[in-house]
Amino acid sequence: MEELAIPPERQDEILGYLGLNPNEVATQALVQICNRYGFDPLLKHVVLIGSKGSKNTYVTRDGLLHLAHKSQQLDGLAVLEEWDDETEWCAVVEVYRKDMSHPFRYRGRYSKHGQNKQYGPEMAVKCAEVMALRRAFDVALPTI
């Protein structure tokens, strides 16, 4: 059996190190997601985003890549196109699986007015990668 990312006997210690309250529902959801998918919160595979009253669990691109590699079915990731217009940067990405005959393609966008606008082209690629990885590896959790 695979070792849990957050073993129960070290849960409070690990969550405390991450600055998370083990009694909050959002933190408990993060633990369940980590243990179900093998995500590591220390590597920021899953994070909590939001304020005290409204925190949500999000799977990061690193988490999705971890899951894809762990499956041993990832057969590549390709950025097919990148462009921009007056309002946003865009990219098209394909994710290939060894056990499927067609790639998973997705277009990502990032606003030229977004928080990370100095990295807009990279953010558009990241958005496309995340959505293609979600589809290719059946992860229905919210992602960033």
Side-chain angles (χ1 to χ4, degrees), residues 62-87:
D62 290 342
L64 292 168
L65 284 169
H66 169 75
L67 186 67
H69 284 291
K70 190 170 116 179
S71 76
Q72 299 183 348
Q73 294 304 316
L74 181 64
D75 199 27
L77 201 142
V79 178
L80 302 179
E81 297 178 57
E82 293 182 71
W83 72 94
D84 70 310
D85 61 26
E86 304 81 39
T87 60

Side-chain angles (χ1 to χ4, degrees), residues 13-87:
E13 178 184 4
I14 291 169
L15 295 174
Y17 175 78
L18 293 170
L20 301 173
N21 180 347
N23 298 318
E24 287 184 359
V25 173
T27 301
Q28 294 168 7
L30 179 136
V31 169
Q32 292 298 317
I33 290 166
C34 286
N35 288 338
R36 169 146 169 60
Y37 288 98
F39 293 139
D40 189 332
L42 296 170
L43 298 176
K44 301 226 182 282
H45 290 167
V46 179
V47 295
L48 291 180
I49 294 196
S51 60
K52 283 196 178 236
S54 176
K55 290 184 182 176
N56 292 302
T57 54
Y58 286 94
V59 178
T60 65
R61 175 174 51 179
D62 290 342
L64 292 168
L65 284 169
H66 169 75
L67 186 67
H69 284 291
K70 190 170 116 179
S71 76
Q72 299 183 348
Q73 294 304 316
L74 181 64
D75 199 27
L77 201 142
V79 178
L80 302 179
E81 297 178 57
E82 293 182 71
W83 72 94
D84 70 310
D85 61 26
E86 304 81 39
T87 60

